[in-house]
mmCIF file of all heavy atoms in Angstrom:
data_model
loop_
_atom_site.group_PDB
_atom_site.id
_atom_site.type_symbol
_atom_site.label_atom_id
_atom_site.label_comp_id
_atom_site.label_asym_id
_atom_site.label_seq_id
_atom_site.Cartn_x
_atom_site.Cartn_y
_atom_site.Cartn_z
ATOM 1 N N CYS O 1 160.532 205.226 72.231
ATOM 2 C CA CYS O 1 160.882 206.113 73.341
ATOM 3 C C CYS O 1 162.299 206.614 73.124
ATOM 4 O O CYS O 1 163.225 205.822 72.926
ATOM 5 C CB CYS O 1 160.783 205.363 74.657
ATOM 6 S SG CYS O 1 161.372 206.313 76.074
ATOM 7 N N CYS O 2 162.476 207.914 73.146
ATOM 8 C CA CYS O 2 163.795 208.513 72.938
ATOM 9 C C CYS O 2 164.313 209.168 74.210
ATOM 10 O O CYS O 2 165.103 210.114 74.170
ATOM 11 C CB CYS O 2 163.742 209.523 71.796
ATOM 12 S SG CYS O 2 163.367 208.774 70.201
ATOM 13 N N THR O 3 163.865 208.646 75.342
ATOM 14 C CA THR O 3 164.301 209.148 76.635
ATOM 15 C C THR O 3 165.474 208.320 77.144
ATOM 16 O O THR O 3 165.456 207.089 77.077
ATOM 17 C CB THR O 3 163.157 209.087 77.658
ATOM 18 O OG1 THR O 3 162.045 209.832 77.159
ATOM 19 C CG2 THR O 3 163.591 209.685 78.993
ATOM 20 N N LEU O 4 166.491 208.998 77.663
ATOM 21 C CA LEU O 4 167.683 208.327 78.164
ATOM 22 C C LEU O 4 167.479 207.818 79.589
ATOM 23 O O LEU O 4 166.469 208.136 80.241
ATOM 24 C CB LEU O 4 168.867 209.289 78.115
ATOM 25 C CG LEU O 4 169.207 209.859 76.738
ATOM 26 C CD1 LEU O 4 170.330 210.887 76.857
ATOM 27 C CD2 LEU O 4 169.601 208.745 75.779
ATOM 28 N N LYS O 5 168.456 207.063 80.076
ATOM 29 C CA LYS O 5 168.361 206.520 81.435
ATOM 30 C C LYS O 5 168.224 207.623 82.476
ATOM 31 O O LYS O 5 167.573 207.442 83.507
ATOM 32 C CB LYS O 5 169.602 205.674 81.743
ATOM 33 C CG LYS O 5 169.715 204.404 80.922
ATOM 34 C CD LYS O 5 171.020 203.676 81.251
ATOM 35 C CE LYS O 5 171.204 202.442 80.393
ATOM 36 N NZ LYS O 5 172.511 201.763 80.655
ATOM 37 N N ASP O 6 168.845 208.768 82.211
ATOM 38 C CA ASP O 6 168.789 209.866 83.180
ATOM 39 C C ASP O 6 167.559 210.750 82.994
ATOM 40 O O ASP O 6 167.434 211.793 83.640
ATOM 41 C CB ASP O 6 170.059 210.713 83.120
ATOM 42 C CG ASP O 6 170.280 211.362 81.757
ATOM 43 O OD1 ASP O 6 169.389 211.267 80.895
ATOM 44 O OD2 ASP O 6 171.352 211.975 81.564
ATOM 45 N N GLY O 7 166.651 210.351 82.083
ATOM 46 C CA GLY O 7 165.399 211.076 81.881
ATOM 47 C C GLY O 7 165.446 212.154 80.824
ATOM 48 O O GLY O 7 164.403 212.750 80.504
ATOM 49 N N LYS O 8 166.598 212.434 80.259
ATOM 50 C CA LYS O 8 166.700 213.479 79.235
ATOM 51 C C LYS O 8 166.138 212.984 77.906
ATOM 52 O O LYS O 8 166.224 211.808 77.563
ATOM 53 C CB LYS O 8 168.151 213.925 79.074
ATOM 54 C CG LYS O 8 168.676 214.672 80.285
ATOM 55 C CD LYS O 8 170.127 215.106 80.111
ATOM 56 C CE LYS O 8 170.622 215.837 81.351
ATOM 57 N NZ LYS O 8 172.061 216.179 81.252
ATOM 58 N N ASP O 9 165.576 213.921 77.150
ATOM 59 C CA ASP O 9 164.899 213.608 75.893
ATOM 60 C C ASP O 9 165.824 213.886 74.712
ATOM 61 O O ASP O 9 166.265 215.029 74.523
ATOM 62 C CB ASP O 9 163.625 214.462 75.787
ATOM 63 C CG ASP O 9 162.760 214.098 74.593
ATOM 64 O OD1 ASP O 9 163.177 213.248 73.787
ATOM 65 O OD2 ASP O 9 161.663 214.675 74.474
ATOM 66 N N CYS O 10 166.102 212.862 73.914
ATOM 67 C CA CYS O 10 166.991 213.027 72.757
ATOM 68 C C CYS O 10 166.368 213.869 71.655
ATOM 69 O O CYS O 10 167.075 214.295 70.730
ATOM 70 C CB CYS O 10 167.363 211.657 72.182
ATOM 71 S SG CYS O 10 168.564 210.755 73.161
ATOM 72 N N LEU O 11 165.065 214.115 71.722
ATOM 73 C CA LEU O 11 164.403 214.891 70.681
ATOM 74 C C LEU O 11 164.599 216.392 70.865
ATOM 75 O O LEU O 11 164.328 217.163 69.940
ATOM 76 C CB LEU O 11 162.898 214.579 70.664
ATOM 77 C CG LEU O 11 162.512 213.127 70.364
ATOM 78 C CD1 LEU O 11 161.009 212.950 70.514
ATOM 79 C CD2 LEU O 11 162.963 212.720 68.974
ATOM 80 N N ASN O 12 165.095 216.790 72.031
ATOM 81 C CA ASN O 12 165.173 218.218 72.326
ATOM 82 C C ASN O 12 166.625 218.703 72.306
ATOM 83 O O ASN O 12 167.549 217.959 72.032
ATOM 84 C CB ASN O 12 164.528 218.495 73.693
ATOM 85 C CG ASN O 12 163.790 219.813 73.712
ATOM 86 O OD1 ASN O 12 164.225 220.783 73.096
ATOM 87 N ND2 ASN O 12 162.663 219.843 74.418
ATOM 88 N N TYR O 13 166.795 219.990 72.605
ATOM 89 C CA TYR O 13 168.129 220.577 72.699
ATOM 90 C C TYR O 13 168.934 219.956 73.842
ATOM 91 O O TYR O 13 168.406 219.309 74.723
ATOM 92 C CB TYR O 13 168.024 222.079 72.968
ATOM 93 C CG TYR O 13 167.571 222.919 71.814
ATOM 94 C CD1 TYR O 13 166.406 223.690 71.911
ATOM 95 C CD2 TYR O 13 168.313 222.997 70.641
ATOM 96 C CE1 TYR O 13 165.991 224.497 70.863
ATOM 97 C CE2 TYR O 13 167.912 223.804 69.591
ATOM 98 C CZ TYR O 13 166.741 224.557 69.702
ATOM 99 O OH TYR O 13 166.345 225.350 68.677
ATOM 100 N N GLY O 14 170.244 220.215 73.811
ATOM 101 C CA GLY O 14 171.081 219.872 74.955
ATOM 102 C C GLY O 14 172.018 218.702 74.722
ATOM 103 O O GLY O 14 172.099 218.134 73.637
ATOM 104 N N ILE O 15 172.756 218.358 75.784
ATOM 105 C CA ILE O 15 173.750 217.280 75.820
ATOM 106 C C ILE O 15 174.816 217.525 74.755
ATOM 107 O O ILE O 15 174.986 216.741 73.811
ATOM 108 C CB ILE O 15 173.105 215.887 75.656
ATOM 109 C CG1 ILE O 15 171.793 215.775 76.446
ATOM 110 C CG2 ILE O 15 174.089 214.817 76.133
ATOM 111 C CD1 ILE O 15 171.136 214.406 76.344
ATOM 112 N N LEU O 16 175.536 218.614 74.927
ATOM 113 C CA LEU O 16 176.561 219.038 73.974
ATOM 114 C C LEU O 16 177.566 217.947 73.649
ATOM 115 O O LEU O 16 177.935 217.737 72.485
ATOM 116 C CB LEU O 16 177.306 220.267 74.527
ATOM 117 C CG LEU O 16 178.567 220.700 73.782
ATOM 118 C CD1 LEU O 16 178.207 221.254 72.409
ATOM 119 C CD2 LEU O 16 179.343 221.734 74.601
ATOM 120 N N ASP O 17 178.049 217.235 74.670
ATOM 121 C CA ASP O 17 179.159 216.304 74.474
ATOM 122 C C ASP O 17 178.739 214.871 74.203
ATOM 123 O O ASP O 17 179.582 213.971 74.166
ATOM 124 C CB ASP O 17 180.106 216.345 75.685
ATOM 125 C CG ASP O 17 179.396 216.081 76.993
ATOM 126 O OD1 ASP O 17 178.154 216.137 77.022
ATOM 127 O OD2 ASP O 17 180.078 215.817 77.997
ATOM 128 N N GLY O 18 177.444 214.614 73.978
ATOM 129 C CA GLY O 18 176.989 213.278 73.617
ATOM 130 C C GLY O 18 176.273 212.558 74.738
ATOM 131 O O GLY O 18 176.521 212.814 75.916
ATOM 132 N N ILE O 19 175.415 211.630 74.379
ATOM 133 C CA ILE O 19 174.620 210.934 75.389
ATOM 134 C C ILE O 19 175.507 209.944 76.163
ATOM 135 O O ILE O 19 176.435 209.348 75.604
ATOM 136 C CB ILE O 19 173.412 210.203 74.756
ATOM 137 C CG1 ILE O 19 173.861 209.075 73.810
ATOM 138 C CG2 ILE O 19 172.530 211.191 74.012
ATOM 139 C CD1 ILE O 19 172.711 208.234 73.268
ATOM 140 N N PRO O 20 175.259 209.768 77.450
ATOM 141 C CA PRO O 20 176.112 208.897 78.286
ATOM 142 C C PRO O 20 176.169 207.460 77.781
ATOM 143 O O PRO O 20 177.218 206.806 77.874
ATOM 144 C CB PRO O 20 175.449 208.975 79.659
ATOM 145 C CG PRO O 20 174.683 210.260 79.660
ATOM 146 C CD PRO O 20 174.225 210.453 78.255
ATOM 147 N N GLU O 21 175.059 206.960 77.233
ATOM 148 C CA GLU O 21 175.011 205.561 76.808
ATOM 149 C C GLU O 21 176.024 205.246 75.703
ATOM 150 O O GLU O 21 176.645 204.183 75.713
ATOM 151 C CB GLU O 21 173.587 205.220 76.322
ATOM 152 C CG GLU O 21 172.571 205.054 77.440
ATOM 153 C CD GLU O 21 171.915 206.359 77.870
ATOM 154 O OE1 GLU O 21 172.501 207.438 77.594
ATOM 155 O OE2 GLU O 21 170.844 206.321 78.483
ATOM 156 N N ILE O 22 176.186 206.153 74.760
ATOM 157 C CA ILE O 22 177.135 205.863 73.676
ATOM 158 C C ILE O 22 178.578 206.066 74.140
ATOM 159 O O ILE O 22 179.497 205.413 73.641
ATOM 160 C CB ILE O 22 176.833 206.702 72.414
ATOM 161 C CG1 ILE O 22 177.470 206.012 71.192
ATOM 162 C CG2 ILE O 22 177.324 208.155 72.545
ATOM 163 C CD1 ILE O 22 176.958 206.495 69.866
ATOM 164 N N LYS O 23 178.781 206.932 75.120
ATOM 165 C CA LYS O 23 180.125 207.077 75.698
ATOM 166 C C LYS O 23 180.549 205.774 76.384
ATOM 167 O O LYS O 23 181.696 205.326 76.244
ATOM 168 C CB LYS O 23 180.151 208.221 76.709
ATOM 169 C CG LYS O 23 179.994 209.607 76.105
ATOM 170 C CD LYS O 23 180.109 210.646 77.213
ATOM 171 C CE LYS O 23 179.939 212.047 76.709
ATOM 172 N NZ LYS O 23 180.114 213.049 77.781
ATOM 173 N N GLU O 24 179.625 205.172 77.112
ATOM 174 C CA GLU O 24 179.921 203.911 77.790
ATOM 175 C C GLU O 24 180.226 202.808 76.774
ATOM 176 O O GLU O 24 181.125 201.988 76.973
ATOM 177 C CB GLU O 24 178.734 203.510 78.673
ATOM 178 C CG GLU O 24 178.519 204.435 79.865
ATOM 179 C CD GLU O 24 177.213 204.148 80.603
ATOM 180 O OE1 GLU O 24 176.560 203.131 80.258
ATOM 181 O OE2 GLU O 24 176.846 204.926 81.502
ATOM 182 N N LEU O 25 179.480 202.806 75.663
ATOM 183 C CA LEU O 25 179.664 201.784 74.637
ATOM 184 C C LEU O 25 181.034 201.882 73.983
ATOM 185 O O LEU O 25 181.695 200.860 73.728
ATOM 186 C CB LEU O 25 178.558 201.919 73.577
ATOM 187 C CG LEU O 25 178.622 200.981 72.373
ATOM 188 C CD1 LEU O 25 178.567 199.521 72.804
ATOM 189 C CD2 LEU O 25 177.483 201.298 71.404
ATOM 190 N N PHE O 26 181.506 203.112 73.733
ATOM 191 C CA PHE O 26 182.745 203.290 72.985
ATOM 192 C C PHE O 26 183.968 203.586 73.852
ATOM 193 O O PHE O 26 185.067 203.732 73.319
ATOM 194 C CB PHE O 26 182.569 204.384 71.925
ATOM 195 C CG PHE O 26 181.972 203.861 70.646
ATOM 196 C CD1 PHE O 26 180.603 203.723 70.523
ATOM 197 C CD2 PHE O 26 182.779 203.458 69.596
ATOM 198 C CE1 PHE O 26 180.044 203.209 69.366
ATOM 199 C CE2 PHE O 26 182.244 202.952 68.433
ATOM 200 C CZ PHE O 26 180.866 202.820 68.309
ATOM 201 N N ALA O 27 183.797 203.651 75.158
ATOM 202 C CA ALA O 27 184.944 203.880 76.039
ATOM 203 C C ALA O 27 186.049 202.834 75.850
ATOM 204 O O ALA O 27 187.234 203.179 75.792
ATOM 205 C CB ALA O 27 184.490 203.933 77.499
ATOM 206 N N PRO O 28 185.715 201.531 75.690
ATOM 207 C CA PRO O 28 186.783 200.539 75.470
ATOM 208 C C PRO O 28 187.505 200.735 74.133
ATOM 209 O O PRO O 28 188.671 200.354 74.002
ATOM 210 C CB PRO O 28 186.028 199.201 75.485
ATOM 211 C CG PRO O 28 184.746 199.467 76.176
ATOM 212 C CD PRO O 28 184.398 200.874 75.841
ATOM 213 N N VAL O 29 186.825 201.297 73.148
ATOM 214 C CA VAL O 29 187.447 201.535 71.844
ATOM 215 C C VAL O 29 188.480 202.652 71.958
ATOM 216 O O VAL O 29 189.603 202.556 71.439
ATOM 217 C CB VAL O 29 186.383 201.899 70.792
ATOM 218 C CG1 VAL O 29 187.046 202.127 69.429
ATOM 219 C CG2 VAL O 29 185.318 200.819 70.695
ATOM 220 N N LEU O 30 188.125 203.714 72.656
ATOM 221 C CA LEU O 30 189.009 204.866 72.815
ATOM 222 C C LEU O 30 190.070 204.644 73.888
ATOM 223 O O LEU O 30 191.103 205.317 73.891
ATOM 224 C CB LEU O 30 188.181 206.107 73.150
ATOM 225 C CG LEU O 30 187.334 206.637 71.993
ATOM 226 C CD1 LEU O 30 186.103 207.360 72.514
ATOM 227 C CD2 LEU O 30 188.144 207.560 71.111
ATOM 228 N N GLY O 31 189.803 203.736 74.805
ATOM 229 C CA GLY O 31 190.765 203.460 75.864
ATOM 230 C C GLY O 31 190.795 204.526 76.940
ATOM 231 O O GLY O 31 191.836 204.754 77.561
ATOM 232 N N VAL O 32 189.660 205.187 77.153
ATOM 233 C CA VAL O 32 189.552 206.207 78.193
ATOM 234 C C VAL O 32 188.266 205.978 78.979
ATOM 235 O O VAL O 32 187.406 205.189 78.570
ATOM 236 C CB VAL O 32 189.545 207.639 77.598
ATOM 237 C CG1 VAL O 32 190.851 207.931 76.876
ATOM 238 C CG2 VAL O 32 188.355 207.842 76.662
ATOM 239 N N GLU O 33 188.105 206.685 80.093
ATOM 240 C CA GLU O 33 186.857 206.615 80.840
ATOM 241 C C GLU O 33 185.756 207.332 80.066
ATOM 242 O O GLU O 33 186.017 208.245 79.277
ATOM 243 C CB GLU O 33 187.041 207.263 82.207
ATOM 244 C CG GLU O 33 188.078 206.569 83.084
ATOM 245 C CD GLU O 33 188.307 207.311 84.392
ATOM 246 O OE1 GLU O 33 187.613 208.334 84.618
ATOM 247 O OE2 GLU O 33 189.172 206.882 85.169
ATOM 248 N N SER O 34 184.516 206.930 80.294
ATOM 249 C CA SER O 34 183.398 207.520 79.557
ATOM 250 C C SER O 34 183.310 209.028 79.782
ATOM 251 O O SER O 34 182.879 209.772 78.901
ATOM 252 C CB SER O 34 182.084 206.847 79.950
ATOM 253 O OG SER O 34 181.821 206.999 81.340
ATOM 254 N N GLY O 35 183.757 209.484 80.958
ATOM 255 C CA GLY O 35 183.729 210.919 81.244
ATOM 256 C C GLY O 35 184.792 211.709 80.509
ATOM 257 O O GLY O 35 184.822 212.939 80.595
ATOM 258 N N GLN O 36 185.669 211.019 79.783
ATOM 259 C CA GLN O 36 186.722 211.680 79.016
ATOM 260 C C GLN O 36 186.427 211.663 77.514
ATOM 261 O O GLN O 36 187.325 211.800 76.699
ATOM 262 C CB GLN O 36 188.068 210.988 79.270
ATOM 263 C CG GLN O 36 188.598 211.141 80.682
ATOM 264 C CD GLN O 36 189.882 210.363 80.870
ATOM 265 O OE1 GLN O 36 189.887 209.193 81.269
ATOM 266 N NE2 GLN O 36 191.002 210.997 80.568
ATOM 267 N N ILE O 37 185.155 211.499 77.154
ATOM 268 C CA ILE O 37 184.771 211.371 75.752
ATOM 269 C C ILE O 37 183.867 212.518 75.327
ATOM 270 O O ILE O 37 182.944 212.903 76.049
ATOM 271 C CB ILE O 37 184.064 210.026 75.500
ATOM 272 C CG1 ILE O 37 185.031 208.866 75.747
ATOM 273 C CG2 ILE O 37 183.507 209.951 74.076
ATOM 274 C CD1 ILE O 37 184.390 207.493 75.639
ATOM 275 N N PHE O 38 184.152 213.045 74.145
ATOM 276 C CA PHE O 38 183.280 214.015 73.481
ATOM 277 C C PHE O 38 182.742 213.348 72.223
ATOM 278 O O PHE O 38 183.508 212.779 71.442
ATOM 279 C CB PHE O 38 184.051 215.282 73.106
ATOM 280 C CG PHE O 38 183.222 216.335 72.426
ATOM 281 C CD1 PHE O 38 182.577 217.319 73.177
ATOM 282 C CD2 PHE O 38 183.068 216.338 71.042
ATOM 283 C CE1 PHE O 38 181.807 218.287 72.543
ATOM 284 C CE2 PHE O 38 182.305 217.306 70.412
ATOM 285 C CZ PHE O 38 181.670 218.283 71.162
ATOM 286 N N VAL O 39 181.423 213.390 72.034
ATOM 287 C CA VAL O 39 180.775 212.767 70.880
ATOM 288 C C VAL O 39 180.360 213.850 69.895
ATOM 289 O O VAL O 39 179.642 214.785 70.254
ATOM 290 C CB VAL O 39 179.546 211.943 71.311
ATOM 291 C CG1 VAL O 39 179.003 211.152 70.121
ATOM 292 C CG2 VAL O 39 179.897 211.005 72.462
ATOM 293 N N GLY O 40 180.843 213.736 68.662
ATOM 294 C CA GLY O 40 180.555 214.748 67.658
ATOM 295 C C GLY O 40 179.549 214.280 66.630
ATOM 296 O O GLY O 40 178.661 213.479 66.918
ATOM 297 N N GLY O 41 179.693 214.782 65.422
ATOM 298 C CA GLY O 41 178.796 214.406 64.335
ATOM 299 C C GLY O 41 179.220 213.084 63.719
ATOM 300 O O GLY O 41 179.631 212.164 64.411
ATOM 301 N N ASN O 42 179.153 212.995 62.390
ATOM 302 C CA ASN O 42 179.440 211.716 61.743
ATOM 303 C C ASN O 42 180.897 211.540 61.345
ATOM 304 O O ASN O 42 181.283 210.474 60.874
ATOM 305 C CB ASN O 42 178.571 211.554 60.486
ATOM 306 C CG ASN O 42 179.027 212.448 59.350
ATOM 307 O OD1 ASN O 42 179.036 213.669 59.475
ATOM 308 N ND2 ASN O 42 179.403 211.862 58.233
ATOM 309 N N SER O 43 181.749 212.571 61.528
ATOM 310 C CA SER O 43 183.103 212.526 60.986
ATOM 311 C C SER O 43 184.155 212.880 62.031
ATOM 312 O O SER O 43 184.154 213.990 62.570
ATOM 313 C CB SER O 43 183.215 213.496 59.802
ATOM 314 O OG SER O 43 184.551 213.701 59.430
ATOM 315 N N SER O 44 185.066 211.949 62.292
ATOM 316 C CA SER O 44 186.178 212.255 63.204
ATOM 317 C C SER O 44 187.136 213.242 62.549
ATOM 318 O O SER O 44 187.782 214.040 63.236
ATOM 319 C CB SER O 44 186.914 210.978 63.606
ATOM 320 O OG SER O 44 187.375 210.272 62.477
ATOM 321 N N LEU O 45 187.240 213.201 61.225
ATOM 322 C CA LEU O 45 188.093 214.154 60.518
ATOM 323 C C LEU O 45 187.606 215.578 60.764
ATOM 324 O O LEU O 45 188.402 216.512 60.908
ATOM 325 C CB LEU O 45 188.091 213.850 59.020
ATOM 326 C CG LEU O 45 189.128 214.582 58.176
ATOM 327 C CD1 LEU O 45 190.535 214.074 58.477
ATOM 328 C CD2 LEU O 45 188.828 214.424 56.687
ATOM 329 N N SER O 46 186.302 215.740 60.844
ATOM 330 C CA SER O 46 185.727 217.061 61.119
ATOM 331 C C SER O 46 186.124 217.555 62.512
ATOM 332 O O SER O 46 186.421 218.740 62.702
ATOM 333 C CB SER O 46 184.201 217.005 60.996
ATOM 334 O OG SER O 46 183.626 218.261 61.266
ATOM 335 N N ILE O 47 186.149 216.641 63.496
ATOM 336 C CA ILE O 47 186.578 217.037 64.845
ATOM 337 C C ILE O 47 188.046 217.441 64.827
ATOM 338 O O ILE O 47 188.437 218.431 65.456
ATOM 339 C CB ILE O 47 186.338 215.897 65.856
ATOM 340 C CG1 ILE O 47 184.866 215.498 65.909
ATOM 341 C CG2 ILE O 47 186.798 216.326 67.246
ATOM 342 C CD1 ILE O 47 184.576 214.362 66.875
ATOM 343 N N MET O 48 188.870 216.686 64.107
ATOM 344 C CA MET O 48 190.293 217.043 64.010
ATOM 345 C C MET O 48 190.460 218.433 63.405
ATOM 346 O O MET O 48 191.253 219.243 63.901
ATOM 347 C CB MET O 48 191.039 216.015 63.143
ATOM 348 C CG MET O 48 191.128 214.641 63.731
ATOM 349 S SD MET O 48 191.987 213.521 62.591
ATOM 350 C CE MET O 48 190.999 212.049 62.772
#
């Protein structure tokens, strides 16, 4: 099942800034609230 807690389907378009679940997981790493996170591709250097 690729459906998120909020019912959105990871197989389809959308969710530009990343799924909420991974933001919650990495919020302690970044030291910010989950709502202050943008999730990109595989490379942080690419975002920079």
Side-chain angles (χ1 to χ4, degrees):
C1 174
C2 295
T3 303
L4 302 175
K5 293 177 183 177
D6 61 7
K8 292 180 181 176
D9 187 355
C10 285
L11 299 175
N12 216 324
Y13 287 120
I15 319 181
L16 170 69
D17 55 345
I19 65 174
E21 285 87 340
I22 201 164
K23 291 183 181 183
E24 292 171 8
L25 177 60
F26 275 84
V29 181
L30 289 152
V32 297
E33 298 176 3
S34 60
Q36 293 177 269
I37 295 175
F38 180 91
V39 188
N42 73 299
S43 167
S44 56
L45 191 70
S46 180
I47 301 179
M48 293 178 220

